[in-house]
Amino acid sequence: MNAPASSCAAPIGIFDSGLGGLSVLRAVRAQLPAESLIYVADSRYAPYGKRDDDFIADRTLAICEWLVAQGAKALVVACNTATAQSIALVRERLAVPLVGVEPGIKPAAALSKSRVAGVLATQVTLRSARFQALIERHAADLRVLCQPGHGLVEAVERCDVNSPALVELLRGYVEPMLEAGADTLVLGCTHYPFLDAAIRSIVGERMTLVDTSVAIARQLERVLDQHGLRAQPADGAGATAGTPARFCSTSDGAHLRTLAAALLGIDAQVECVSIPSPRTREPEAA
Ligand code: DGL
């Protein structure tokens, strides 16, 4: 087991397959402004939703280990797909406090009046045992319409959050839900909150959109408190002190910078990082 960094001033590591975790980072910055953050977008290998289970576990573990090596005191796996597939493995291997994300089935069950709710998520998330367990635990009296969001992660990765083609793609996913009586839509992928306006342009006020990023930030706050790891404003490394976050990408980082600027108003200097893992390591030269 790796030993976690334990200083309160150490950063929190946040990771996603790509840019979607920025929706979680936005909520964490709002909830915990004194914290210093390191964000990793594994954009070189996104979307994870098209990868096999071993590949997702391999990348998730490698990136979490890398964040711990950078001094992270706690980690947020800001990816439903990686959480569904691999969080148990990461918990087994790393001693650092860890927060994952999962589709907001529980809030949807509390909110839906029609008792029909749609879930948009990746195919990997929807077919995972964790997701099935969530449904069994919280949605016994709810009809849940599961729709894989094919093509949506790719759109956000190229910073397309409102093109006509994207709106048509979304329409094909959400109109059948409306026709089936759904009044609630769970955004079960951290990329999807960036499609909020495009979804609203189709559903208007007929659906409540469930995004769990604020709940994740609160959960992170509780976990930090349990471990006595909350940064104090005097630590001086957090967002209020003018060091918003360290942004890293396994691809060229241009889209991470664009999306952070457009959607979060952050002028991010993006570091291009190489995070090898057993499945992605270059073969040794002969
Ligand atoms: N943001 C990731 C999630 O929450 C996207 C997964 C993918 O890369 O397909 O599932």
Side-chain angles (χ1 to χ4, degrees), residues 197-278:
I199 296 170
R200 276 271 166 247
S201 75
I202 302 163
V203 306
E205 295 306 314
R206 288 175 291 169
M207 283 178 135
T208 304
L209 306 188
V210 178
D211 163 16
T212 54
S213 49
V214 172
I216 295 157
R218 292 203 184 113
Q219 170 66 5
L220 174 63
E221 184 175 31
R222 282 191 289 275
V223 168
L224 293 176
D225 282 341
Q226 278 160 13
H227 291 83
L229 284 174
R230 277 283 282 285
Q232 302 308 313
D235 287 338
T240 49
T243 310
R246 194 178 146 200
F247 290 93
C248 306
S249 173
T250 57
S251 126
D252 69 12
H255 286 169
L256 176 54
R257 189 166 188 184
T258 305
L259 204 69
L263 296 171
L264 307 183
I266 296 172
D267 182 17
Q269 299 297 317
V270 179
E271 296 168 42
C272 296
V273 294
S274 166
I275 305 181
S277 61

Side-chain angles (χ1 to χ4, degrees), residues 26 41 43 90 169 183 202 215 221 232 248 254:
R26 173 172 57 186
S43 290
V90 179
L169 183 65
D183 64 352
I202 302 163
E221 184 175 31
Q232 302 308 313
C248 306

Side-chain angles (χ1 to χ4, degrees), residues 49-98:
K50 286 194 169 160
R51 303 284 185 175
D52 63 64
D53 291 355
D54 283 353
F55 188 93
I56 298 167
D58 175 75
R59 293 304 299 160
T60 302
L61 191 57
I63 293 166
C64 288
E65 283 172 341
W66 186 87
L67 284 164
V68 170
Q70 302 299 303
K73 65 183 177 183
L75 301 179
V76 181
V77 178
C79 176
N80 291 267
T81 308
T83 301
Q85 218 301 304
S86 315
I87 201 155
L89 175 75
V90 179
R91 279 196 204 286
E92 233 172 66
R93 300 284 182 87
L94 300 178
V96 68
L98 191 59

Side-chain angles (χ1 to χ4, degrees), residues 41-243:
D42 197 18
S43 290
R44 184 166 174 193
Y45 300 106
Y48 281 7
K50 286 194 169 160
R51 303 284 185 175
D52 63 64
D53 291 355
D54 283 353
F55 188 93
I56 298 167
D58 175 75
R59 293 304 299 160
T60 302
L61 191 57
I63 293 166
C64 288
E65 283 172 341
W66 186 87
L67 284 164
V68 170
Q70 302 299 303
K73 65 183 177 183
L75 301 179
V76 181
V77 178
C79 176
N80 291 267
T81 308
T83 301
Q85 218 301 304
S86 315
I87 201 155
L89 175 75
V90 179
R91 279 196 204 286
E92 233 172 66
R93 300 284 182 87
L94 300 178
V96 68
L98 191 59
V99 172
V101 302
E102 59 191 13
I105 299 298
K106 191 177 174 188
L111 287 165
S112 174
K113 293 194 168 54
S114 68
R115 307 317 292 154
V116 185
V119 183
L120 259 183
T122 69
Q123 185 90 60
V124 172
T125 299
L126 295 175
R127 69 167 154 71
S128 68
R130 274 181 78 94
F131 180 72
Q132 293 310 322
L134 257 187
I135 300 271
E136 276 162 33
R137 214 168 38 248
H138 301 297
D141 70 333
L142 190 69
R143 186 167 161 226
V144 180
L145 309 172
C146 296
Q147 171 62 56
H150 299 302
L152 300 180
V153 168
E154 290 91 328
V156 175
E157 287 293 304
R158 44 173 200 273
C159 297
D160 174 4
V161 293
N162 57 8
S163 70
L166 173 69
V167 172
E168 281 320 296
L169 183 65
L170 279 165
R171 191 185 302 284
Y173 296 153
V174 299
E175 271 188 349
M177 296 176 180
L178 284 169
E179 281 158 20
D183 64 352
T184 307
L185 176 62
V186 176
L187 305 180
C189 169
T190 53
H191 282 70
Y192 301 168
F194 292 124
L195 305 177
D196 182 281
I199 296 170
R200 276 271 166 247
S201 75
I202 302 163
V203 306
E205 295 306 314
R206 288 175 291 169
M207 283 178 135
T208 304
L209 306 188
V210 178
D211 163 16
T212 54
S213 49
V214 172
I216 295 157
R218 292 203 184 113
Q219 170 66 5
L220 174 63
E221 184 175 31
R222 282 191 289 275
V223 168
L224 293 176
D225 282 341
Q226 278 160 13
H227 291 83
L229 284 174
R230 277 283 282 285
Q232 302 308 313
D235 287 338
T240 49
T243 310

